[in-house]
């Protein structure tokens, strides 16, 4: 366990990359913070750093001893592979992770959980790229949180969770995307594209690129298959839940209920909730993660016997904003000490698919 956790501020605007991937940093404080973090990484200690998706917990990817400390710090299962982050131009920068055949002479088995492929991405966040460049090594980096907890999108989220367990957190401000990267597997013989994890790059984005790329050829455009929606897999790492606060979370469905399920009215749901929770109604504290224009939220908060803690998502027509606020909302409501968090479903399109593609207990309600 680290004696103390330092939070070192980094100014993203001071980091610039040239066309040949050379990094220049105009802020002395940011340069010093990055050099300190790189020194820790070279000493085989994990470091938390910002990316455009969520904050990552990084260690040198080519060293099994360094990578092992990621697992021990997070309490991460050994069969949950890690994503390798690079800072070189051959990879598209952004929230996209691609699977490649793995050279096991180069990549330790602990990174891939012994699988024949390795997941690689190039973050677009300037601080992340600069840290990788200054360290001069690829970094394995899952989200910087205890395993199973919501992914951190601010340095304070990391500090609240891992304080004393790591030495350094680089604070590059809030994450722009707020969801994990999209993981894409294009290695199957059928030529189809499998989305193992929806994330910051949407299925619509990928489909648009494929259609444009195959428009001038006789080869059919590959089909896009999404995990949990179109197929299931037993691949290590795919069986674990990725956002579970310490309080219960219930997903509130307002779409058509499956056959055999009778939706409840909001008032009937609340009465059932009061009976099931071990608190008197006037002390029940319920967190709401719902669109700002939610009809359901207006119905729920009309019950004044419950102490409501609202964290508006943003408009239902703005899935990118909702995605950016999801983990922040879960962690904020958890810190406020609510007894339960209710999350309203959003349409499964664009970033909404990544939000909804998660195993969470749900209820079907009438929205009016």
């Amino acid at each position: 366990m680290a004696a103390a956790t330092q939070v070192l501020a980094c100014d993203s605007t001071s980091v610039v990359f040239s066309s040949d991937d050379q990094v220049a940093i105009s802020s002395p404080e940011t340069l010093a913070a990055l050099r300190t973090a790189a020194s820790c990484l070279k000493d085989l200690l994990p470091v938390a750093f910002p990316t455009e998706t969520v904050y990552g917990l990084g260690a040198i990817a080519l060293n099994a001893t360094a990578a092992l400390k990621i697992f021990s710090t997070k309490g991460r299962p050994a069969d949950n592979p890690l994503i390798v982050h690079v800072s070189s131009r051959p990879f598209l920068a952004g929230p996209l992770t691609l699977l490649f055949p793995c050279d096991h002479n180069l990549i330790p088995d602990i990174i891939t959980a012994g699988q024949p492929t390795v997941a690689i991405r190039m973050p677009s966040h300037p601080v992340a790229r600069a840290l990788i460049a200054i360290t001069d090594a690829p970094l394995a980096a899952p989200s910087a949180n205890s395993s199973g907890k919501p992914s951190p999108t601010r340095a304070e989220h990391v500090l609240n969770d891992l304080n004393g367990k790591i030495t350094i957190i680089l604070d590059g401000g809030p994450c722009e995307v707020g969801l994990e990267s999209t993981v894409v597997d294009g290695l199957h013989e059928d030529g189809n594209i499998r989305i193992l994890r929806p994330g910051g790059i949407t299925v619509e984005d990928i489909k648009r690129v494929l259609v444009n790329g195959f428009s001038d050829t006789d080869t059919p455009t590959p089909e896009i298959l999404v995990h949990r929606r179109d197929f299931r897999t037993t691949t290590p790492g795919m069986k674990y839940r990725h956002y579970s606060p310490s309080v219960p979370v219930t997903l509130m469905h307002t779409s058509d209920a499956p056959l055999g399920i009778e939706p409840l009215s909001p008032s009937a749901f609340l009465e059932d909730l009061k009976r099931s929770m071990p608190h008197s109604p006037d002390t029940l504290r319920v967190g709401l993660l719902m669109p700002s224009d939610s009809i359901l939220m207006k119905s729920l908060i009309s019950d004044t016997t419950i102490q409501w803690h609202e964290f508006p998502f943003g408009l239902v027509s703005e899935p990118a904003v909702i995605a950016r606020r999801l983990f922040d909302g879960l962690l904020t409501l958890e810190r406020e000490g609510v007894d339960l968090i209710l999350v309203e479903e959003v349409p499964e399109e664009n970033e909404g698919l990544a939000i909804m593609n998660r195993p969470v207990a749900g209820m079907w309600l009438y929205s009016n």
Side-chain angles (χ1 to χ4, degrees):
M1 176 173 289
T5 298
Q6 297 183 73
V7 180
L8 305 180
C10 291
D11 179 6
S12 300
T13 64
S14 71
V15 180
V16 177
F17 281 85
S18 65
S19 58
D20 60 350
D21 289 327
Q22 297 300 307
V23 62
I25 302 168
S26 58
S27 164
E29 294 79 11
T30 298
L31 179 59
L34 287 164
R35 284 176 171 169
T36 299
S39 177
C40 284
L41 289 167
K42 292 175 182 178
D43 288 339
L44 309 186
L45 298 174
V47 166
F49 63 96
T51 77
E52 72 282 7
T53 57
V54 299
Y55 272 72
L57 183 64
I60 292 178
L62 305 185
N63 188 293
T65 300
L68 182 62
K69 293 178 181 177
I70 291 177
F71 288 87
S72 61
T73 299
K74 286 175 59 72
R76 185 181 178 93
D79 64 345
N80 198 352
L82 302 175
I83 294 174
V84 176
H85 293 62
V86 299
S87 183
S88 58
R89 190 53 65 90
F91 294 98
L92 175 68
L96 179 66
T97 295
L98 302 176
L99 262 59
F100 292 88
C102 180
D103 181 351
H104 290 282
N105 293 318
L106 182 64
I107 305 293
D109 282 349
I110 192 172
I111 300 293
T112 63
Q115 296 299 297
T117 58
V118 59
I120 298 178
R121 92 173 185 96
M122 176 176 166
S124 61
H125 197 292
V127 172
R129 286 193 63 196
L131 177 63
I132 298 167
I134 291 174
T135 306
D136 195 25
L139 299 182
S143 55
N145 55 284
S146 298
S147 186
K149 297 298 182 182
S151 299
T153 58
R154 299 175 183 270
E156 65 195 65
H157 297 160
V158 184
L159 186 64
N160 291 337
D161 187 6
L162 300 181
N163 188 17
K165 294 184 178 180
I166 58 177
T167 302
I168 288 176
I169 301 169
L170 295 181
D171 184 356
C175 299
E176 180 181 358
V177 175
L179 282 177
E180 300 98 334
S181 63
T182 301
V183 180
V184 175
D185 178 1
L187 300 178
H188 289 258
E189 292 183 0
D190 61 10
N192 291 327
I193 301 298
R194 286 165 173 79
I195 308 296
L196 300 183
R197 182 182 69 190
I201 297 293
T202 68
V203 170
E204 290 84 353
D205 292 333
I206 295 171
K207 183 175 182 179
R208 183 165 52 251
V209 170
L210 289 175
V211 169
N212 290 338
F214 284 81
S215 61
D216 296 330
T217 72
D218 295 329
T219 305
T221 302
E223 186 178 354
I224 299 177
L225 306 174
V226 180
H227 180 243
R228 297 182 61 83
R229 187 190 73 181
D230 303 317
F231 71 97
R232 300 278 174 165
T233 179
T234 57
T235 300
M238 299 304 295
K239 62 187 178 185
Y240 296 106
R241 297 178 64 180
H242 292 286
Y243 74 162
S244 303
S246 59
V247 297
V249 176
T250 299
L251 181 63
M252 312 304 293
H253 296 277
T254 54
S255 55
D256 292 339
L259 187 64
I261 294 181
E262 185 66 29
L264 296 174
S265 67
S267 59
F269 167 74
L270 291 179
E271 289 306 314
D272 285 349
L273 180 63
K274 293 173 191 177
R275 285 192 293 267
S276 65
M277 297 296 288
H279 300 275
S280 60
D282 60 344
T283 61
L284 183 60
R285 296 166 296 180
V286 178
L288 295 176
L289 266 176
M290 298 184 174
S292 307
D293 50 354
S294 168
I295 296 174
L296 175 60
M297 183 165 65
K298 293 177 181 178
S299 297
L300 293 174
I301 62 176
S302 63
D303 187 327
T304 57
T305 66
I306 294 176
Q307 185 181 121
W308 298 103
H309 294 246
E310 299 175 39
F311 192 98
F313 263 159
L315 299 176
V316 71
S317 60
E318 300 176 325
V321 174
I322 293 175
R324 190 182 311 129
R325 293 176 66 80
L326 173 64
F327 292 136
D328 190 13
L330 289 169
L331 291 164
T332 298
L333 292 173
E334 181 183 52
R335 292 277 292 179
E336 290 179 2
V338 299
D339 303 303
L340 172 73
I341 298 174
L342 303 180
V343 182
E344 184 175 358
E345 71 171 347
V346 296
E348 293 192 26
E349 54 192 33
N350 296 304
E351 290 85 356
L353 177 61
I355 295 169
M356 297 298 295
N357 194 261
R358 301 165 187 273
V360 177
M363 295 287 297
W364 271 263
L365 302 184
Y366 298 116
S367 60
N368 49 36

